[in-house]
């Protein structure tokens, strides 16, 4: 705040002169009297009293003593009496007032004098006391008008108009036009003191710019009262007698760039003005310090954060595009959605909830708008990068959600970090679509990491291979002959089919597809078929597993052994012919061999000439090898059984 003292304020020329004359007289006489207070300011009069300058209410109080007539002046009669009664009469009447006395006293006796002013003011009383003609005191134009309308004054008679020196010039300007226009015989003497006018003018100019005007002067000083009245038209105005009446309350609510004006009436000494100035200055400084302290304390109560600071923030609001956070600063924090997460498919509410305490990095501090922008994903990414680096170090498999298929691969988000998986590492075949992976959770291994650039490259293939390797290792550790698996036919070959039994593909040879005789595996299964298989044998080193799709409970050999025995004669169907004999099916799944030597009692050199595939023949079971599950059949044995037995010769 700025304190400004009005250019013209305080003692006027007349008051200063009166005090000087009085003090000089007091020095000369040791003790003197003033007729009434020298000025309307108790501070000054108290001070003068200490210098032996007393106040006489009546002339008789100063009889025989030197008496000072103050600047207001007195009536002619009082002046004469004073000169007669007192030892000396020092006339300190202001020359400007004296001039009015002269104007008034010089008016012809037949004329009239109008004194515009306060009839109770000593100056006005004194002026009136110098008139030798009719004298009227009017406070305003209405009273002048009343004089004429009542006939007290005639429009035809000459009259003089004088004005109390401290009268408001603005009001007089209004009246003078009216008087000139309506009362043309009135001669106007502008006796308003310039000191008063200038004080009023300066005070008004200052009041127009100020937020507060302090008018200093005695409560009974009319010119000070007028200053206060003028100032009050423009701003808050206080009327004080001295600095003791000032308080901090006066500047409450004022802006820091406010102007505080000080003006003072003509009876206010310079030291009182200085004291008021100094006191106000102290009040302002104290207030500013207090405000500064408060502001400083307030400032200190807030955290200061700077760009790139990592901070803890509490989520206090969520909207579509951002999270609003509180971080103990005077600014409000905002985390835009794209700074909350790397996942382009996520909503704000998917990432944070109101009340969450989160770590974030300050990306921008905008003091002018009172906002701070932050990024959660940078923290997550940094933390994620640490975890990813540790995972790579430990050769761990990570999991993440595929958020997008991009040129050359897919993006996976894990631990808040973006990981690029090249297409060749996705495990998706060239003919497949990378888009099919989007929104799926996938395992991957980190194959490249650049923490500075925040670049991570991963491989789903390596992760799945590792899983499969682990599964294979476990498989080989636990595999047993006779173990049953539910498998899927992967491929079909002439010699059998490969069946996926989880960790490995096992081979089911054609003969093991069914108990029945099989021409080609395609006649039994097709790729993708689910079949039950049993481990027949395995070789961990060669990673080979032989499987059988035959159900042991349906083993036809068991049925054969139970139902047939050696020497049984049965019907069988020729199913194949070889060089050494023909195979004949006894029951489905059990074929017996009719050796070439057992086809006939005659010598057979060409089997096909005597037997044909599909031919049903009667055969005799001549041998059963249970260990090798082989059956030997014979047609010849039946032929021999049927041959007549020759009788023994008598000669024998
Ligand atoms: Fe004189 Fe003017 Fe001061 Fe009155 S205000 S004492 S007229 S100088």
């Amino acid at each position: 705040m700025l304190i400004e003292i009005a250019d013209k304020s305080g003692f006027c020329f007349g008051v200063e002169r009166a005090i000087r004359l009085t003090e000089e007289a007091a020095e000369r006489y040791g003790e003197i009297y003033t007729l009434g207070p020298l000025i309307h300011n108790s501070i000054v009069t108290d001070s003068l009293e200490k210098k032996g300058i007393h106040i006489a209410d009546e002339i008789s109080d100063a009889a025989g003593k030197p008496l000072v007539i103050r600047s207001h002046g007195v009536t002619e009669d009082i002046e004469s009496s004073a000169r007669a009664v007192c030892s000396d009469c020092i006339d300190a009447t202001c020359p400007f007032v004296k001039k009015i006395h002269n104007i008034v006293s010089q008016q012809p006796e037949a004329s009239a004098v109008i004194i515009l002013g306060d009839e109770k003011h000593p100056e006005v009383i004194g002026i009136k006391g110098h008139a030798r003609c009719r004298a009227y005191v009017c406070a305003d134009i209405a009273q002048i008008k009343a004089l004429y309308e009542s006939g007290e004054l005639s429009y035809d008679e000459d009259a003089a108009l004088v004005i109390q020196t401290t009268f408001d010039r603005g009001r007089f300007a209004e009246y003078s036009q009216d008087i000139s226009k309506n009362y043309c015989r009135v001669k106007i003497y502008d006796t308003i003191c310039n000191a008063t006018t200038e004080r009023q003018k300066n005070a008004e100019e200052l009041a127009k710019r100020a937020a507060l005007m302090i008018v200093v002067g005695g409560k009974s000083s009319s010119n000070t009262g007028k200053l206060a009245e003028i100032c009050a038209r423009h701003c808050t105005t206080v009327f004080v007698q001295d600095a003791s009446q000032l308080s901090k309350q006066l500047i409450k609510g004022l802006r820091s760039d406010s102007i505080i004006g000080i003006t003072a009436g003509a009876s206010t000494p310079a030291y009182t003005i200085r004291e008021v100035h100094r006191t106000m200055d102290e009040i302002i400084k104290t207030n500013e310090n207090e405000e500064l302290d408060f502001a400083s304390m307030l400032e200190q109560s807030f955290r200061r954060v700077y760009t790139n600071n990592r901070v803890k923030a509490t989520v206090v609001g969520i909207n579509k595009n951002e999270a609003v956070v509180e971080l103990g600063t005077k600014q409000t924090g905002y985390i835009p959605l794209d700074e909350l997460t790397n996942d382009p498919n996520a909503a704000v509410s998917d990432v944070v909830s109101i009340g969450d305490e989160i770590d974030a990095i300050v990306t921008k501090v905008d003091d002018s708008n009172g906002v701070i922008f932050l990024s959660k994903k940078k923290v997550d990414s940094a933390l994620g990068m640490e975890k990813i680096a540790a995972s790579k170090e430990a050769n761990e498999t990570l999991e993440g959600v595929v958020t997008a298929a991009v040129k050359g691969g897919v993006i996976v988000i894990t631990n808040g970090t973006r990981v690029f998986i090249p297409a060749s590492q996705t495990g998706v075949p060239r003919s497949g679509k990378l888009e099919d992976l989007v929104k799926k959770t996938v395992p991957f291994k980190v194959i490249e990491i650049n923490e500075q650039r925040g670049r991570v490259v991963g491989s789903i293939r390596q992760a799945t291979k590792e899983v499969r390797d682990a599964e294979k290792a476990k498989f080989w550790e636990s595999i047993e002959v006779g173990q049953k698996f539910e498998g899927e036919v992967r491929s079909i070959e002439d010699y059998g089919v490969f069946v996926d039994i989880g960790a490995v593909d096992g081979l089911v040879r054609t003969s093991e597809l069914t108990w029945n005789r099989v021409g080609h595996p395609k006649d039994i299964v097709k790729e993708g078929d689910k079949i039950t298989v049993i481990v027949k044998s395995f070789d961990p080193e060669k990673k080979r597993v032989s499987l059988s799709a035959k159900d042991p409970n349906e083993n036809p050999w068991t049925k054969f052994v139970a139902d047939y025995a050696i020497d049984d004669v049965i019907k069988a169907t020729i199913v194949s012919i070889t060089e050494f004999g023909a195979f004949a099916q006894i029951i489905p799944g059990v074929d017996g061999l009719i050796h070439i030597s057992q086809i006939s009692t005659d010598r057979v050199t060409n089997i096909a000439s005597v037997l044909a595939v599909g031919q049903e023949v009667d055969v005799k079971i001549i041998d059963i090898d249970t260990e090798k599950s082989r059956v030997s059949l014979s047609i010849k044995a039946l032929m021999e059984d049927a041959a007549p037995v020759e009788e023994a010769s008598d000669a024998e």
Side-chain angles (χ1 to χ4, degrees):
M1 294 178 200
L2 184 67
I3 301 174
E4 244 185 78
I5 300 175
D7 284 348
K8 302 286 182 186
S9 58
F11 281 172
C12 64
F13 153 75
V15 169
E16 202 168 66
R17 176 175 172 272
I19 290 174
R20 178 173 47 80
L21 291 174
T22 304
E23 287 179 335
E24 284 174 0
E27 275 186 23
R28 200 162 58 246
Y29 294 113
E31 188 180 48
I32 63 167
Y33 287 82
T34 62
L35 188 55
L38 196 56
I39 55 175
H40 293 139
N41 189 316
S42 60
I43 296 169
V44 177
T45 51
D46 288 350
S47 166
L48 292 174
E49 176 69 31
K50 289 173 187 161
K51 294 178 182 174
I53 301 166
H54 312 296
I55 297 171
D57 294 327
E58 304 289 341
I59 292 175
S60 57
D61 294 342
K65 306 284 183 185
L67 180 75
V68 175
I69 295 173
R70 57 190 181 172
S71 61
H72 294 138
V74 293
T75 64
E76 208 167 14
D77 291 345
I78 290 175
E79 187 179 336
S80 299
S81 298
R83 290 191 187 284
V85 173
C86 300
S87 62
D88 190 7
C89 181
I90 299 109
D91 187 1
T93 304
C94 174
F96 298 124
V97 177
K98 206 73 181 169
K99 180 182 161 192
I100 303 174
H101 290 177
N102 292 336
I103 293 169
V104 169
S105 65
Q106 286 168 12
Q107 298 306 310
E109 286 185 14
S111 66
V113 169
I114 303 170
I115 305 163
L116 186 59
D118 178 2
E119 64 177 352
K120 291 180 182 167
H121 193 277
E123 181 190 315
V124 173
I125 294 169
I127 292 168
K128 190 177 180 186
H130 281 267
R132 296 192 174 95
C133 58
R134 295 179 349 260
Y136 304 96
V137 178
C138 295
D140 52 30
I141 189 70
Q143 290 185 5
I144 295 173
K145 189 179 175 186
L147 281 177
Y148 283 93
E149 288 180 348
S150 66
E152 191 69 37
L153 281 174
S154 166
Y155 291 95
D156 298 333
E157 67 174 317
D158 291 330
L161 177 83
V162 294
I163 312 155
Q164 185 180 346
T165 55
T166 53
F167 200 85
D168 180 18
R169 184 165 283 287
R171 281 172 67 202
F172 169 66
E174 288 174 27
Y175 299 167
S176 65
Q177 285 185 353
D178 202 353
I179 293 167
S180 301
K181 181 180 168 190
N182 298 309
Y183 315 107
C184 58
R185 301 296 292 270
V186 174
K187 184 173 182 182
I188 299 172
Y189 294 89
D190 180 356
T191 53
I192 295 175
C193 173
N194 276 343
T196 303
T197 306
E198 284 171 356
R199 270 163 184 67
Q200 291 173 355
K201 191 176 162 191
N202 284 164
E204 185 163 31
E205 283 173 355
L206 184 53
K208 285 178 181 173
R209 294 185 284 111
L212 171 71
M213 281 298 293
I214 299 171
V215 180
V216 191
K219 288 289 177 190
S220 55
S221 165
S222 88
N223 74 80
T224 311
K226 280 198 175 70
L227 283 176
E229 182 190 320
I230 291 167
C231 291
R233 293 175 200 154
H234 302 287
C235 66
T236 303
T237 301
V238 291
F239 189 166
V240 299
Q241 197 158 330
D242 57 34
S244 68
Q245 294 176 287
L246 300 172
S247 73
K248 196 171 76 175
Q249 196 65 19
L250 290 175
I251 59 170
K252 191 176 178 185
L254 295 189
R255 289 175 16 182
S256 60
D257 58 350
S258 296
I259 292 174
I260 297 174
I262 297 176
T263 188
S267 55
T268 307
Y271 62 80
T272 302
I273 300 171
R274 279 199 302 275
E275 186 62 16
V276 166
H277 185 189
R278 193 184 60 74
T279 304
M280 279 310 297
D281 198 38
E282 282 179 7
I283 287 173
I284 290 169
K285 280 180 180 157
T286 303
N287 187 62
E288 282 175 351
N289 286 337
E290 285 173 357
E291 283 188 350
L292 206 61
D293 286 349
F294 178 74
S296 163
M297 284 162 57
L298 192 66
E299 185 73 19
Q300 283 169 13
S301 74
F302 287 124
R303 291 170 67 200
R304 284 293 302 172
V305 296
Y306 303 92
T307 301
N308 293 327
N309 279 175
R310 181 170 163 170
V311 296
K312 286 212 175 290
T314 303
V315 179
V316 294
I318 285 177
N319 57 47
K320 188 180 172 192
N321 300 315
E322 64 205 358
V324 185
V325 297
E326 201 279 316
L327 54 155
T329 59
K330 58 186 176 183
Q331 304 98 331
T332 303
Y334 293 93
I335 307 179
L337 176 57
D338 61 357
E339 289 297 336
L340 275 172
T341 173
N342 273 317
D343 186 350
N345 306 309
V348 175
S349 56
D350 293 336
V351 187
V352 292
S353 301
I354 289 177
D356 283 357
E357 189 180 63
I358 58 173
D359 289 302
I361 282 178
V362 176
T363 56
K364 184 180 178 184
V365 178
D366 184 350
D367 277 331
S368 59
N369 291 306
V371 295
I372 293 175
F373 293 98
L374 304 104
S375 171
K376 178 180 183 297
K377 76 176 186 184
K378 283 190 176 175
V379 173
D380 293 344
S381 190
L383 285 172
M385 195 63 84
E386 288 173 19
K387 287 183 184 173
I388 287 169
S391 298
K392 184 173 188 296
E393 192 69 26
N395 192 30
E396 289 174 348
T397 296
L398 292 171
E399 267 195 356
V401 176
V402 179
T403 57
V406 296
K407 187 180 178 184
V410 296
I411 302 300
V412 172
I413 302 297
T414 185
N415 294 304
T417 305
R418 199 169 173 272
V419 179
F420 175 66
I421 310 281
S424 61
Q425 296 298 320
T426 58
V428 176
R430 282 180 184 275
S431 56
K433 288 184 189 171
L434 292 176
E435 286 77 8
D436 292 343
L437 283 177
V438 174
K439 295 191 179 177
K440 286 185 179 167
T441 299
V442 294
F444 67 91
K445 303 288 282 188
V446 177
I447 56 176
E448 185 184 325
I449 183 166
N450 185 327
E451 291 185 55
Q452 258 107 33
R453 295 177 59 193
R455 178 180 160 83
V456 182
V457 179
S459 169
I460 297 172
R461 273 186 59 192
Q462 282 194 15
T464 51
K465 179 179 179 299
E466 189 177 274
V467 171
R468 285 186 66 86
D469 286 349
E471 287 173 353
K472 282 180 183 174
K474 190 175 173 187
F475 172 85
W476 290 115
E477 281 173 15
S478 61
I479 189 168
E480 291 176 359
V481 172
Q483 196 172 350
K484 191 183 281 186
F485 290 93
E486 294 299 321
E488 180 180 324
V489 177
R490 286 276 193 187
S491 61
I492 299 174
E493 308 295 339
D494 291 338
Y495 50 87
V497 299
F498 284 96
V499 177
D500 177 5
I501 53 174
V504 298
D505 289 352
L507 174 63
V508 182
R509 292 195 173 276
T510 307
S511 60
E512 291 297 330
L513 278 172
T514 175
W515 291 110
N516 298 323
R517 180 170 290 277
V518 177
H520 194 278
K522 284 182 182 172
D523 300 335
I524 305 296
V525 293
K526 61 181 183 299
E527 287 180 6
D529 277 357
K530 301 279 193 288
I531 61 173
T532 301
V533 293
I534 294 168
V535 176
K536 280 190 70 187
S537 63
F538 61 90
D539 184 339
E541 288 188 4
K542 292 182 180 175
K543 309 295 182 198
R544 286 180 184 168
V545 181
S546 292
L547 303 169
S548 173
K550 294 176 180 175
D551 184 349
N553 296 324
E554 297 295 324
N555 191 341
W557 182 257
T558 306
K559 190 169 182 288
F560 169 78
V561 171
D563 295 343
Y564 297 90
I566 294 174
D567 291 337
D568 282 355
V569 176
I570 58 173
K571 287 189 180 299
T573 304
I574 303 299
V575 291
S576 65
I577 293 172
T578 65
E579 287 182 3
F580 54 87
F583 284 96
Q585 184 186 74
I586 303 167
I587 59 174
V590 178
D591 295 344
L593 173 64
I594 308 171
H595 193 266
I596 191 169
S597 62
Q598 294 296 324
I599 292 174
S600 175
T601 51
D602 297 329
R603 178 180 171 79
V604 176
T605 55
N606 183 6
I607 298 171
S609 63
V610 290
L611 292 173
V613 173
Q615 180 184 350
E616 187 178 74
V617 292
D618 290 324
V619 292
K620 184 177 183 178
I621 299 172
I622 57 173
D623 189 32
I624 297 174
D625 184 343
T626 52
E627 280 190 14
K628 294 182 180 175
S629 301
R630 287 180 181 169
V631 183
S632 295
L633 301 174
S634 176
I635 299 171
K636 177 184 169 187
L638 288 180
M639 293 169 80
E640 287 173 347
D641 288 345
V645 178
E646 289 184 11
E647 290 184 4
S649 159
D650 292 336
E652 287 182 328

